[in-house]
Amino acid sequence: MPLQRLLKERFGHDRFREGQEAIIEQVIDGQDTLVVMPTGAGKSLCYQLPAVAMGGTTLVVSPLIALMKDQVDSLQRSGVRATCINSTVPPNERRERLVGLREGRWELLYVAPERFSDRFLEFLGLCDIRLLAIDEAHCVSQWGHDFRPDYLRLGEVRTGLVGVPTIALTATATPEVADDIL
């Protein structure tokens, strides 16, 4: 389906914001991408639309439970199959969501960086993950990891997800931080 049509039918927008379409095309082409955009400029769509276009599941690493919930709720209202796994999800519901991941029920799955145990990484190898999206990617940097040290483990996650492109997104990245993220 053409991107413009997906944008309208699945996300309810008439047009892309500046820079979004080129980024989305790059991601869909399987290229690793670093996106530095101001808050409110539409960073999330840069991985959400590819998630729908590419099939499989996009794994989204997000540091804030409230942000995960807001994004999942908004996506679900738009008919996008999205869910999250975090510390607020009861164990039985978490298991059900993981079964759904294995069965290909989710277009997007939001997780915290702390979720990446060896067991979870092994499980991901059994799933159809097509894109890894790292939100608040400045936390990957040596300058930002004090906030969430588990972001430092995302290199291992990328290595384990063989052939899966990565999109890293942030609103705050000095040139040094951008180089460090890359």
Side-chain angles (χ1 to χ4, degrees):
M1 184 182 293
L3 294 180
Q4 199 70 38
R5 188 168 155 200
L6 268 178
L7 179 69
K8 180 65 175 169
E9 289 182 9
R10 297 294 302 272
F11 295 92
H13 301 297
D14 292 321
R15 59 182 168 61
F16 289 102
R17 292 184 183 172
E18 185 178 336
Q20 284 180 322
E21 190 170 16
I23 292 166
I24 290 167
E25 287 173 351
Q26 186 172 321
V27 171
I28 290 172
D29 284 343
Q31 298 177 45
D32 292 333
T33 306
L34 173 61
V35 177
V36 181
M37 274 186 183
T39 299
K43 286 185 297 296
S44 297
L45 187 72
C46 293
Y47 65 83
Q48 292 171 346
L49 195 146
V52 171
M54 295 168 69
T57 301
T58 291
L59 186 62
V60 183
V61 180
S62 180
L64 302 171
I65 291 172
L67 179 61
M68 281 186 214
K69 181 173 177 6
D70 287 348
Q71 291 201 355
V72 167
D73 289 348
S74 175
L75 288 164
Q76 288 178 345
R77 281 192 300 274
S78 297
V80 176
R81 296 182 329 268
T83 194
C84 63
I85 297 176
N86 59 46
S87 60
T88 68
V89 177
N92 61 330
E93 215 172 304
R94 186 177 20 217
R95 279 189 296 280
E96 184 178 315
R97 291 176 188 190
L98 289 171
V99 167
L101 175 62
R102 177 81 189 273
E103 294 175 350
R105 256 186 261 154
W106 310 117
E107 291 171 299
L108 291 109
L109 172 66
Y110 287 77
V111 298
E114 292 81 7
R115 173 68 37 207
F116 293 101
S117 65
D118 290 339
R119 185 174 175 196
F120 185 64
L121 285 173
E122 186 177 313
F123 176 76
L124 290 176
L126 304 173
C127 302
D128 186 14
I129 306 298
R130 303 266 179 103
L131 178 64
L132 174 63
I134 303 171
D135 204 3
E136 304 298 339
H138 58 276
C139 296
V140 171
S141 169
Q142 67 175 333
W143 308 106
H145 74 268
D146 288 341
F147 169 57
R148 297 294 275 273
D150 289 289
Y151 267 88
L152 293 177
R153 189 149 189 236
L154 294 180
E156 292 175 46
V157 174
R158 288 189 68 218
T159 301
L161 295 172
V162 179
V164 174
T166 301
I167 180 171
L169 308 102
T170 183
T172 51
T174 63
E176 296 81 14
V177 170
D179 285 342
D180 205 23
I181 292 168
L182 293 171

